[in-house]
Amino acid sequence: MVAGAALLIGNTGCNGSGKKTGDGKDSTKTDSSAAALSNIGKPITYQKDKRYIFLTFDDGPQPPGTINCKNIFHEEGVKATFFMVGFNLGIDAYRRRIADSLNNSYPEFITANHSTTHGFRDNYKRFYSNPDSAVADMLKAQTDLKIKLKIARLPGMNTWASGSEMQGPKSSLTVAKALDSLGYTLIGWDVEWQFIRGSIPKQGAQEMADQINKRFEQEYTYQPNAIVLLAHDRMFAKAPYTDSLRKFISILKQDPRNVFETIDHYPSVQNRKK
Ligand SMILES: [Zn+2]
């Protein structure tokens, strides 16, 4: 069930909320029908001959990266999840519009909670040593970002919690337990597309696709036959890197076993016992 999970624990390279402005154009048409939104969180049936990939992108809205990711996923026809940071909404109305658009684009995309302040601006030690304020920070983000389901990723921590199961860095577990008791499922990650210098993708498209394939082949994922990829919207602000994201997806799409899903369909979310 939890293959090699202990080795998956670690801190993320999340470096907080970017303040760059961008001029990315949002060309994505989204399905905002009430019918589509009413299906949010409805369980899917897993097929044994498929491999489930959860693309999760953190720290948005951070244009133009968020818009570029959204447009590429839309054009490639793959589902994805955006873990957003509430603080970003206060920067300008443009970021709020991006959040609103993502909130209304289910079943293509889903949004989830990645805190209000990104752990007091990456001050994780202070954030996690004050569990009450950390929980309040997460709950404020849930409201401000209009997140529909209780699905969150803790800032800077690869922590998982889903009722019966919990794991992650020790310093995060008090906050994790408190959120779990409030009904939140916490999502970590299996593989990270890392970055250098704040936002430059460290690995190329083929290397990342190879990492995904290797993990599936080794059955080395937190949940069986499902893999969570962590990346950050801001990594895909410029053309060479957006090309890399598109190539990564197109490589994975060539394997007919691969299915891209939103995080409401991740096993620990849809199988959670309340
Ligand atoms: Zn983050």
Side-chain angles (χ1 to χ4, degrees):
M1 187 80 174
V2 188
L7 293 174
L8 303 179
I9 297 170
N11 288 356
T12 174
C14 282
N15 280 331
S17 313
K19 294 182 204 69
K20 278 191 299 185
T21 55
D23 57 359
K25 295 284 189 296
D26 180 2
S27 65
T28 306
K29 292 281 182 296
T30 56
D31 178 359
S32 61
S33 72
L37 288 172
S38 72
N39 284 324
I40 200 164
K42 282 205 178 145
I44 58 164
T45 303
Y46 274 68
Q47 295 170 5
K48 284 203 170 77
D49 58 344
K50 297 292 185 188
R51 316 191 311 181
Y52 293 84
I53 297 172
F54 297 83
L55 304 174
T56 68
F57 281 62
D58 282 14
D59 297 1
Q62 288 188 314
T66 306
I67 296 295
N68 293 341
C69 291
K70 186 171 175 266
N71 289 341
I72 288 167
F73 299 147
H74 180 72
E75 286 156 22
E76 295 294 327
V78 298
K79 295 180 178 182
T81 302
F82 291 88
F83 282 90
M84 298 194 294
V85 172
F87 168 84
N88 290 341
L89 298 188
I91 296 173
D92 58 26
Y94 179 40
R95 283 165 175 78
R96 187 167 284 281
R97 284 200 301 277
I98 294 171
D100 287 344
S101 168
L102 288 170
N103 276 332
N104 290 318
S105 58
Y106 191 81
E108 191 171 22
F109 308 123
I110 194 170
T111 57
N113 185 338
H114 192 42
S115 84
T116 299
T117 63
H118 206 277
F120 301 152
R121 304 284 194 101
D122 307 346
N123 190 339
Y124 303 132
K125 196 174 175 192
R126 191 164 75 87
F127 187 78
Y128 291 104
S129 62
N130 294 280
D132 288 349
S133 62
V135 169
D137 183 284
M138 298 296 293
L139 297 185
K140 184 177 182 332
Q142 188 78 8
T143 305
D144 291 350
L145 291 161
K146 300 177 188 162
I147 306 296
K148 293 187 175 68
L149 300 178
K150 289 183 176 180
I151 303 172
R153 173 172 285 146
L154 294 180
M157 298 285 168
N158 191 355
T159 301
W160 303 81
S162 56
S164 55
E165 288 185 35
M166 185 166 310
Q167 73 168 51
K170 200 177 168 192
S171 61
S172 70
L173 293 183
T174 304
V175 174
K177 276 178 195 149
L179 289 168
D180 183 67
S181 71
L182 294 171
Y184 282 83
T185 300
L186 302 185
I187 301 293
W189 60 91
D190 294 297
V191 172
E192 180 179 1
W193 194 337
Q194 297 166 302
F195 56 80
I196 52 173
R197 298 200 297 278
S199 66
I200 309 298
K202 188 176 169 189
Q203 298 93 349
Q206 187 64 55
E207 188 179 350
M208 284 314 301
D210 290 346
Q211 280 192 31
I212 300 271
N213 285 326
K214 198 172 164 190
R215 285 296 189 97
F216 274 129
E217 282 156 20
Q218 295 177 337
E219 299 181 21
Y220 179 46
T221 54
Y222 182 69
Q223 296 277 301
N225 209 25
I227 200 160
V228 177
L229 172 85
L230 164 66
H232 290 80
D233 309 11
R234 64 177 174 276
M235 293 162 58
F236 306 100
K238 292 179 184 164
Y241 312 123
T242 53
D243 292 346
S244 189
L245 178 60
R246 197 183 292 277
K247 187 177 169 196
F248 167 69
I249 291 168
S250 73
I251 293 168
L252 292 175
K253 276 170 64 180
Q254 285 165 20
D255 189 327
R257 294 173 298 174
N258 290 338
V259 176
F260 296 85
E261 265 301 341
T262 44
I263 205 69
D264 54 325
H265 296 138
Y266 187 70
S268 70
V269 175
Q270 66 172 29
N271 301 335
R272 181 190 173 103
K273 293 182 182 59
K274 305 220 160 136

